[in-house]
Amino acid sequence: MAQSPTSRGQSARASLLTVDDDPAVSRAIARDLRRRYGEDYRIVRAESGDAALEALKELRLRGEEVAVILADHRMPRMTGIEFLEQAMDLFPYARRVLVTAYADTDAAIDAINLVDLDHYLLKPWDPPEEKLFPVIDEQLRAWSAAERHPVAETKLVGHRWSARSSAVREFLARNQVPYRWFSSESSDARALFTAADLDDPELPVVVTPAGDVLVAPSDADLAERVGLVTRPSADFYDLIVVGGGPAGLSAALYGASEGLRTVLVERIATGGQAGQSSRIENYLGFPDGVSGAQLTERARRQALKFGAELVTTRDAVGLDVNGSARSVRFADGSTLDAQTVILAAGVSYRRLDGPRLDAMAGRGLYYGSALTNVAACAGQDVYVVGGANSAGQAALALAREARSVTLLVRGPSLTQSMSAYLIEQVEAHPRVRVRTSTVVAEACGDGHLEGLVLRDVTTDATTTVPCGWVFVFIGAVPRTDWLGDVVVRDRYGFVPTGPDLLQDGAAPPGWPLDRPPYHLESSVPGVFAAGDVRAESAKRVASAVGEGAMAVMLAHRYLEQL
């Protein structure tokens, strides 16, 4: 049982949470904490991991902060380490302390890596003035000095059928910016318009926690106003990572941890396609699965911890070779120079081709974006286009709220592109059905999506179905057009590397070095490719993470030879 954070009638104070399954120990540590810190912090205690998680969720929903979490290691059903691993997703900036017996110090040391543990406290902690309070004092000082995201919410006023409103909503969600959505037709929206002296403004309208009002902002303006980093701190780096998917985040993390001055530049938000996955269940180390957003946020925090810079809303438009320097040009006219570059921009979903389909993008038809619309699809009949893992994960996520989800697959079955474990889940779900050998031929509707024309690829017969929601997860188009002729690409736009560049065992034409290209090196020395953008890549999260780390190792080898 957890002591409710609302039951004490206190507000606006950060909390110290303690969890121990022994009621006597739980009361004792809470008593000591309250005696020393009760005037400045709310003390919340729980007697199980589940109860503690419920208390943390309540605090998170109320927009409050948690400064320190103390968890006993030996608890039934959920160990202290398992609890802290889940707690860090709710309050990533809370300091984490594991309370353990002397015999469990090895587990505590392991937890330093697993849950980024800040300290472990040995039982017994008597006298608290010598063993407990100095530890908590140190953690509170570190928590107070740390830079934390503001809890206050951004307000977003838009319309369901406004494509730009949908894009801004997705931008905020993927960048982990807390926001609240208001329909432009609601009384709350009208009150905001009145307060901001706006009369029938262009949508969307964004009100930041500081009270700034942005009318139809660009991604760059929005990012800057809600506290995202949009400008690099320097002009020259050891390593530029282009793209913030699993490969890019891995490269940034390992580059920074190994001492390279590293900057990651991302067009929209970190995570890539994997960041939009509702649940990844075949990634090593997560037996119960992990959402793409959780995995991305952990990787992002980890990269920042080691000193990497993460810069958003930077759209790369060109790559230049200037002697030993590699220059990345951006859409705003700025450039960034480095000795090495890792291309990890990933792929985008292929667009549907047919009458009125482009016009419906953001107006009922969405490329990716399933997770931000799950609640809005409650009680609706939803269609998902695609037969790979991302489509299957989206279908299962939407089926939690939708009345029905129909998966449209061009091929004769799911076995060609979807993992076996996911096929079993899709086929077993009572609200998900699979329609094979089917493509979307046309969209129907006036101003927003109202129906789809479906075509059977084997018989060419068409049927029209009513539809207000369709999510598209088809194909893989690499984001490499901006490379032009500087870097060799294959006919599909992917970047060949290493052995794939060799011709009869020799280096490619124009290769300036005596050695052949390294395994992940492109046709330009010092420019590497990792993840989905690389030709012949495995198109899996685990392989992308591995390639990001390997690319950094090869970049080190390249730098040593300069």
Side-chain angles (χ1 to χ4, degrees), residues 10-25:
Q10 302 173 12
S11 61
R13 291 190 296 171
S15 295
L16 308 182
L17 182 141
T18 173
V19 52
D20 195 304
D21 65 299
D22 186 328
V25 174

Side-chain angles (χ1 to χ4, degrees), residues 27 35 124 126 174 224 238 286 291 343 365 442 461 489:
R27 287 192 295 269
R35 177 163 57 89
D126 288 323
R174 292 184 60 192
E224 196 159 336
D238 295 320
F286 292 88
S291 74
L343 306 174
L365 187 154
E442 185 177 344
R489 295 176 291 152

Side-chain angles (χ1 to χ4, degrees), residues 107-404:
I109 293 171
D110 289 342
I112 292 174
N113 294 321
L114 184 61
V115 296
D116 200 14
L117 191 69
D118 296 302
H119 198 90
Y120 65 89
L121 180 68
L122 292 177
K123 295 180 180 180
W125 62 86
D126 288 323
E129 289 77 7
E130 295 179 13
K131 297 184 179 180
L132 175 64
F133 297 156
V135 171
I136 303 303
D137 288 344
E138 178 185 353
Q139 299 310 314
L140 288 173
R141 280 193 296 269
W143 178 81
S144 297
E147 188 173 319
R148 302 186 296 276
H149 287 302
V151 175
E153 291 178 326
T154 295
K155 300 177 180 65
L156 170 61
V157 181
H159 193 278
R160 175 185 168 185
W161 306 128
S162 162
R164 183 57 188 158
S165 295
S166 298
V168 168
R169 191 174 187 174
E170 183 75 5
F171 179 86
L172 293 173
R174 292 184 60 192
N175 279 289
Q176 304 290 314
V177 177
Y179 74 94
R180 179 169 295 185
W181 167 269
F182 297 94
S183 169
S184 58
E185 300 168 345
S186 67
S187 58
D188 288 327
R190 289 193 295 272
L192 286 173
F193 291 162
T194 300
D197 294 324
L198 296 175
D199 183 19
D200 193 25
E202 182 182 356
L203 297 177
V205 173
V206 177
V207 183
T208 71
D212 297 329
V213 179
L214 312 176
V215 178
S218 67
D219 286 351
D221 289 341
L222 181 60
E224 196 159 336
R225 288 302 199 52
V226 298
L228 300 177
V229 178
T230 60
R231 294 183 177 88
S233 65
D235 297 323
F236 192 88
Y237 292 83
D238 295 320
L239 171 63
I240 298 173
V241 181
V242 182
L249 286 168
S250 173
L253 189 159
Y254 281 97
S257 68
E258 295 181 16
L260 298 180
R261 292 169 298 167
T262 301
V263 60
L264 182 151
V265 290
E266 166 57 42
R267 190 171 59 96
I268 297 177
T270 53
Q273 287 187 349
Q276 300 179 67
S277 295
S278 60
R279 197 145 200 86
I280 302 169
E281 296 188 73
N282 59 351
Y283 187 65
L284 184 68
F286 292 88
D288 298 319
V290 61
S291 74
Q294 288 175 320
L295 189 62
T296 296
E297 177 61 11
R298 292 183 181 192
R300 188 191 67 82
R301 292 201 310 263
Q302 207 171 1
L304 291 172
K305 169 186 172 181
F306 285 112
E309 291 184 37
L310 272 59
V311 181
T312 58
T313 65
R314 308 297 289 185
D315 191 7
V317 297
L319 177 68
D320 300 314
V321 178
N322 301 310
S324 62
R326 308 290 180 256
S327 301
V328 178
R329 287 182 279 113
F330 299 100
D332 63 358
S334 64
T335 61
L336 200 55
D337 297 331
Q339 291 181 303
T340 59
V341 174
I342 294 178
L343 306 174
V347 297
S348 58
Y349 293 116
R350 187 170 289 116
R351 309 281 290 191
L352 292 174
D353 185 21
R356 290 189 292 277
L357 287 167
D358 275 345
M360 296 302 169
R363 295 178 171 88
L365 187 154
Y366 304 93
Y367 291 89
S369 307
L371 292 183
T372 54
N373 288 291
V374 169
C377 291
Q380 304 291 313
D381 296 316
V382 179
Y383 286 77
V384 175
V385 184
N389 282 7
S390 54
Q393 290 159 352
L396 292 172
L398 290 163
R400 294 199 299 262
E401 301 288 344
R403 179 168 57 190
S404 71

